[in-house]
Amino acid sequence: MFAKGSEPWICAAISVTALLAGFHRVTNYSVFLHATYLGTAMAIFMVWFFRDPERNVEVSDNYMISPADGTVIDIRGRKICIFMFLQNVHVNRTPISGRITEVVYKKGGYLPAFCKDSERNERNEFIIISKHGDVSVTQIAGTIARRIVTYAKKDDVVEQGQRIGMIRFGSRVDVTIPEAFDITVRKGERVSAGRT
């Protein structure tokens, strides 16, 4: 399964590769052959990057789950910061069941998402009201990522583990934890959306 909104990227990579292969076949120029190899590698990367595997989530009000695949790079009070590398699945999920009361999008720069200055980066914040209190899930674009894709909207009732959006090509997701929960994850730990 592919992430929602990824079709133009995958189709473009495959189309360019086919076009380059056609040019090579007609002209027999080696430059088109090399470009075809690069195009094939790019098409394979796009298919791999935009994967969105099914994940069976055991829904529970007793714990929260990670909203993103990646590595915990910081824990600031009640906020956990998860950095998604290129090899991670970039589809984000809701960490807890509830209702989305706000979706706030802010334009910004594209500093590396692991930097503290990335507070000025492009971002999209979901405020989810749960039975344990408000939870904020913030998608932050990184250096390469120039597009945050939102699947959920204001007033949507979401279930724990439901897909709420994705960030293209490397980024960060911050999640706030209500006081009712203990933070059991540690800095440097790898986490998986819907599983950890």
Side-chain angles (χ1 to χ4, degrees), residues 106-120:
K106 291 181 184 170
K107 287 185 176 182
Y110 296 96
L111 293 165
F114 53 82
C115 291
K116 296 205 176 187
D117 282 344
S118 66
E119 296 299 323
R120 292 181 247 157

Side-chain angles (χ1 to χ4, degrees), residues 5 14-15 22-23 46-47 49 56 73 82 85 92-93 96 108 132 134 145 150 166 170 181 192:
I14 292 170
S15 299
F23 282 144
M46 290 293 181
V47 167
F49 178 82
N56 294 324
I73 58 166
I82 303 163
F85 293 91
N92 307 134
R93 296 171 181 264
I96 196 166
H132 296 288
D134 288 359
T150 305
M166 83 167 294
F181 293 104
S192 180

Side-chain angles (χ1 to χ4, degrees), residues 159-171:
E159 190 172 84
Q160 189 176 45
Q162 181 179 325
R163 296 169 177 92
I164 55 172
M166 83 167 294
I167 317 172
R168 295 180 181 145
F169 308 119
S171 36

Side-chain angles (χ1 to χ4, degrees), residues 9-15 17 36-50:
W9 293 79
I10 294 169
C11 289
I14 292 170
S15 299
T17 303
T36 301
Y37 291 147
L38 286 173
T40 302
M42 181 57 72
I44 291 168
F45 171 77
M46 290 293 181
V47 167
W48 172 79
F49 178 82
F50 285 111

Side-chain angles (χ1 to χ4, degrees), residues 107-173:
K107 287 185 176 182
Y110 296 96
L111 293 165
F114 53 82
C115 291
K116 296 205 176 187
D117 282 344
S118 66
E119 296 299 323
R120 292 181 247 157
N121 281 18
E122 177 190 10
R123 64 188 49 244
N124 193 55
E125 182 180 18
F126 296 94
I127 305 295
I128 303 166
I129 187 161
S130 76
K131 68 183 273 188
H132 296 288
D134 288 359
V135 173
S136 167
V137 179
T138 307
Q139 300 169 295
I140 303 170
T143 315
I144 302 171
R146 303 267 170 180
R147 183 86 170 114
I148 296 173
V149 182
T150 305
Y151 301 166
K153 60 187 184 308
K154 184 179 176 183
D155 294 324
D156 280 359
V157 175
V158 290
E159 190 172 84
Q160 189 176 45
Q162 181 179 325
R163 296 169 177 92
I164 55 172
M166 83 167 294
I167 317 172
R168 295 180 181 145
F169 308 119
S171 36
R172 189 176 106 198
V173 173

Side-chain angles (χ1 to χ4, degrees), residues 28-71:
N28 209 23
Y29 290 147
S30 63
V31 69
F32 287 122
L33 179 62
H34 297 304
T36 301
Y37 291 147
L38 286 173
T40 302
M42 181 57 72
I44 291 168
F45 171 77
M46 290 293 181
V47 167
W48 172 79
F49 178 82
F50 285 111
R51 71 199 184 283
D52 183 12
E54 284 299 328
R55 293 186 178 167
N56 294 324
V57 178
E58 283 188 37
V59 178
S60 174
D61 283 331
N62 297 325
Y63 54 79
M64 290 177 63
I65 56 176
S66 176
D69 286 11
T71 301

